[in-house]
Amino acid sequence: MRRDDRRADGPAPAVLALELLVHGVAGASPGELLGDPRTVRVTGDSTAAVFRRTEDADAEAHPERYAGRPVPEAYCWSRLTSGNGARALWLLLLPFMVANLAHWARPAGTSPRAVRTYGVLVRILALSLTVLLIAAACEVALDLFAWQCAGAGSCAGSRFSSLSFLAPGGGWWAEPGRRLALAALVPAALTGLLWYLSNRTWSAYESQPPPVGSADPDTASDAVPALGRPGFWYGRRLVARLRAAHTAAGLLTVAVAVSVPTARHDRGPAGAPVLESVGWATQGLLAVVAAAVAWVVCRRGRTEDRADHHLDRAAVTLLPGAALALLVAVLVHACWARPGWTSAGRLPGDLAFGVLMLGQGCCVLALAAVARYLHRRAPDPTTALGGLGGPAVGMLGCALGGVMSGGVAQRVADWLDGGAVPGTPGAPLPGPPVLLTWQAAVLPPLLLVLALPAAWFTVRGVRERRGLAAGIAAEYPGETPDGPRSRRIAGARAAAALTDSAPWFVGAVSGITLLLGAGALAGAWIGGRVPYEAARGTGPLLETAARTAQDAGSWLIGFGFVLFVAWGRRAYRDPSARRTIGILWDVGTFWPRAAHPFAPPCYAERAVPDLTWRMTGWTDRTGGRLVISGHS
C-alpha cells in the first residue's frame, strides 16, 4: 500500500467547533461568560473584543482536546453603550437620538419617491435641532452675557466683576461688535466639540468594513431581511457627509448671530459705507454656503443595497472649512472700530427662534402626511399609531430640544437678573426672546394635561395586576399559594403589557405638545410680550394664571435641566447608574445614525461587523462549525 493510500484510509483530522457567547443588554465580563477569571483577548480592542479562557488560547494547535465539545469564546460589547463615565454626557444628545429614531419609525411603503421624501424631511428636522442647540448657545453667550449683561454697566460691574472689561468704558473689548466676537467663541467651541465627538465615534463605530464579498449586491437575494442587507450596518459615507453639513450649519448659525446686529448698525446713519459693503458681501456668502448645506443634507440618504465606503471629500472637507472661514471673516468684520455704537434691548432672536419653531412644526405635519400616505398604500396592523409613529417621535425630539434650549436660556436669565423676572418692567435685563418665555409658560399646562393619560395608564396597570394575581396560583396546581410572589409575577406581566400602549402615550404627548407649541408661537408673535404682560388688563383670574404659569414654567424648565445634568453627573461617578443609562442607549442607539450625525453612535455598526468578521474568519480558516449563543 502506498503512503498516500494509508493516509487516506486513516482517521480524519479533528475539526474544531466554536461556541460564541454574546451577552445581553445588562452586560457581563469575559470571566462571567466563560466561567473562568483567567481570560485572554483573541480579537478586538478595549471597547469590544472576543475572549477565550487562557487554557483555550492554543485550541487550533490541539484540536484533539476538544473532541465532542466546542471551544467557548465570549464577545463582550457592553462598553459600546455603558463604557467610561464620559458616556453620561451623551444625555445632552438625547434630542438628536430621538430625532434619529424618527427615521426608523417610518411605515413600510412601496413608493420610492415617498420614502425618499420621508427621509429628506427627517434629515431637515434633524438639521433644525442642531441649529436650535447652537442658537440657544448663541442666545446665552452673545445676547444675555455679551449684549445685555455686559452692555448694562450695573450687571457687568457690580454682580460680575470679571466682566468689567466688557462694560462700557472698559477698554478695547467694550464695543458691542467686539463683545459679540469674543462671546461667539463659546458656541463655536460647542460646535467644534460636537464635531470632535461625532468624528471620534465615527472612526470607532461606522468605519468598520464588511468582510470581503459580503457587500456584493449581485450575491444578495431579494429574500434577505432588511437588517441583512449588504450596506445596512455600514453608514460611513452618510454619517461623514451629514457631520460635515451639521458642523457647517452650526458655524453658520454663530456667524449669522454676529453678522445680523453688526450689519444692522452698519446700515444705519452711523454706519460706514465700506463696512456696509463688507457686511452685504459676507451675508451673501453665508446664504450661498447655507444653500450648499441644505443641498448636501437633502441630496443623499442611506444606501443599504451595498456597503458604500467612498467618502465625499468635497463635502466633508470644503463645507466645514468654508463655514469656518466665513465665521472668521464675520468676527474680524465685527471687531472693526465703530465709535458710538451701544447695545440696548435684545438681539434679534425672537424672529430666529420663531422661524425655527414654525419650520419644525410644518416639517412634522408634512412628515405625518407622507407617513399616512405610505401606510395607506401598504397597510400593516402592527404599525404604531397607524403610521404616525415617526412624526410623533420627531415631534418628541423637537420638544426635548425646545425644553433644553429654553431651559438653559431661562435659567441663565433668571441667574443674571437676580430676584427679578426677566422681561418684566423693572427688571435690569430684557431677558431671553419672548418665545422662549412662552415655551416655559406652556410647560405647566402640558404637564397637567399629560397627567390624565398617565393616571389612566397607572390605574389600568393596577387593575391588570390585581386580575392577573388572582389567576397565577391556579397556573401552579399542587403548589402552596404564595401571595407576594404571585403579585410580583403579576406586576411584571402587567408592566410588560403596558409597553404595548407606549406608542399611544407618545402620540398623546406629541399631539398635545404640537398644539401647545402652536399656542406659544401665536402668543409670542401676536402679543409680542411675555405671558404675564400680555395678560395684563384681561382680568384678575387670567393675570394670575398667566403669572403662575410663567413663574412655574421658568422654575420647572430650569429645575428639569439641572436635574438632567445632575443625573448625568451621577452616572459619571456611579457605575450602576451608568449601566441604567447604558440600557437607555442600548434601546435608542441600536439603529444607525441615518438622520443626525451628532446622535450617540450605533453600537450595532461596531458589533455586527465584529461578529461577522469573527464568524467568516473562523469558518473560512478552519472549516469548522460555529454556534452563536446569544442573550437578550
Side-chain angles (χ1 to χ4, degrees):
M1 183 180 292
R2 292 181 305 174
R3 184 176 181 180
D4 293 340
D5 294 334
R6 290 195 302 268
R7 180 177 299 174
D9 294 337
V15 178
L16 282 176
L18 187 69
E19 181 181 10
L20 190 55
L21 306 169
V22 185
H23 62 72
V25 62
S29 65
E32 292 172 337
L33 287 173
L34 297 173
D36 191 334
R38 299 167 299 174
T39 61
V40 60
R41 189 169 71 191
V42 179
T43 64
D45 53 27
S46 59
T47 302
V50 175
F51 295 87
R52 281 186 186 178
R53 296 182 300 184
T54 303
E55 62 184 42
D56 297 330
D58 58 346
E60 287 82 358
H62 303 281
E64 67 279 358
R65 299 178 185 172
Y66 302 92
R69 65 186 181 94
V71 179
E73 287 187 352
Y75 178 64
C76 297
W77 55 272
S78 59
R79 289 182 63 85
L80 291 174
T81 55
S82 58
N84 55 28
R87 301 294 172 88
L89 298 177
W90 285 1
L91 281 172
L92 301 177
L93 308 179
L94 186 60
F96 302 157
M97 183 188 76
V98 175
N100 189 64
L101 291 178
H103 173 90
W104 300 106
R106 174 182 59 81
T110 57
S111 173
R113 180 176 297 178
V115 170
R116 286 195 298 270
T117 303
Y118 185 97
V120 169
L121 290 173
V122 172
R123 293 197 296 275
I124 292 175
L125 196 66
L127 182 65
S128 71
L129 285 177
T130 298
V131 175
L132 177 63
L133 175 66
I134 303 303
C138 292
E139 169 60 30
V140 171
L142 276 70
D143 190 9
L144 294 179
F145 271 100
W147 186 264
Q148 297 183 28
C149 184
S154 58
C155 176
S158 59
R159 297 196 64 234
F160 302 97
S161 57
S162 59
L163 298 178
S164 58
F165 71 100
L166 300 176
W172 192 84
W173 289 105
E175 287 195 10
R178 294 166 182 171
R179 281 191 263 125
L180 293 177
L182 182 62
L185 298 179
V186 175
L190 176 61
T191 305
L193 176 63
L194 292 175
W195 173 88
Y196 170 76
L197 293 176
S198 179
N199 183 69
R200 183 178 180 182
T201 55
W202 172 77
S203 301
Y205 290 74
E206 282 92 355
S207 63
Q208 301 300 309
V212 178
S214 64
D216 186 2
D218 297 331
T219 63
S221 172
D222 294 337
V224 173
L227 272 66
R229 292 174 182 169
F232 192 93
W233 302 109
Y234 307 96
R236 183 169 181 256
R237 182 180 188 179
L238 177 63
V239 176
R241 185 181 179 93
L242 291 178
R243 183 181 68 246
H246 282 244
T247 302
L251 296 175
L252 291 177
T253 302
V254 182
V256 169
V258 177
S259 176
V260 168
T262 304
R264 184 175 59 180
H265 173 268
D266 292 340
R267 292 167 195 157
V274 175
L275 295 179
E276 181 182 358
S277 301
V278 173
W280 280 112
T282 54
Q283 289 188 338
L285 292 175
L286 288 173
V288 171
V289 178
V293 169
W295 183 85
V296 167
V297 170
C298 298
R299 176 68 178 83
R300 185 184 298 275
R302 279 180 57 83
T303 303
E304 298 174 356
D305 293 335
R306 66 180 68 216
D308 193 354
H309 280 263
H310 298 287
L311 296 182
D312 300 317
R313 297 292 180 183
V316 171
T317 57
L318 293 181
L319 201 57
L324 181 60
L326 275 177
L327 175 60
V328 173
V330 168
L331 297 184
V332 172
H333 176 250
C335 288
W336 209 266
R338 292 174 175 84
W341 186 17
T342 59
S343 58
R346 300 186 183 95
L347 288 179
D350 287 286
L351 179 62
F353 284 101
V355 170
L356 268 177
M357 189 173 180
L358 179 62
Q360 288 179 344
C362 293
C363 194
V364 169
L365 293 177
L367 203 63
V370 175
R372 284 296 298 169
Y373 173 78
L374 288 170
H375 182 65
R376 285 197 303 268
R377 287 180 61 93
D380 186 351
T382 61
T383 303
L385 298 176
L388 296 179
V393 173
M395 186 67 237
L396 189 61
C398 294
L400 288 172
V403 168
M404 292 179 64
S405 58
V408 172
Q410 197 70 28
R411 189 71 267 156
V412 172
D414 288 341
W415 175 54
L416 294 177
D417 252 355
V421 178
T424 57
L429 299 180
V434 174
L435 178 59
L436 299 184
T437 305
W438 276 88
Q439 284 182 338
V442 300
L443 186 60
L446 175 64
L447 296 178
L448 289 176
V449 174
L450 292 180
L452 298 178
W456 183 81
F457 281 116
T458 302
V459 172
R460 177 184 171 185
V462 171
R463 289 182 176 178
E464 288 187 0
R465 188 179 68 174
R466 290 177 179 175
L468 291 172
I472 286 179
E475 299 178 6
Y476 301 90
E479 298 290 338
T480 302
D482 187 346
R485 179 167 175 77
S486 297
R487 286 191 292 272
R488 288 196 300 269
I489 295 175
R493 293 182 180 178
L498 281 177
T499 58
D500 296 333
S501 304
W504 294 105
F505 185 75
V506 172
V509 172
S510 301
I512 296 170
T513 301
L514 181 62
L515 293 176
L516 290 178
L521 183 61
W525 277 9
I526 296 175
R529 295 176 294 175
V530 296
Y532 173 67
E533 292 297 322
R536 187 179 296 276
T538 58
L541 184 61
L542 289 178
E543 289 184 13
T544 303
R547 182 59 181 264
T548 302
Q550 180 177 334
D551 293 344
S554 176
W555 183 85
L556 284 173
I557 205 168
F559 176 75
F561 183 78
V562 171
L563 186 65
F564 201 67
V565 174
W567 189 25
R569 185 173 180 271
R570 178 173 177 266
Y572 184 85
R573 298 171 176 265
D574 187 358
S576 62
R578 196 182 310 150
R579 279 193 297 270
T580 303
I581 295 178
I583 294 175
L584 173 65
W585 295 140
D586 180 68
V587 174
T589 64
F590 172 80
W591 303 103
R593 292 187 279 196
H596 208 300
F598 295 158
C602 168
Y603 67 88
E605 288 197 276
R606 167 67 189 272
V608 170
D610 279 356
L611 290 173
T612 305
W613 272 104
R614 186 56 184 158
M615 293 163 61
T616 56
W618 168 266
T619 54
D620 292 346
R621 188 177 70 254
T622 67
R625 294 174 297 173
L626 184 142
V627 175
I628 293 284
S629 179
H631 299 264
S632 179

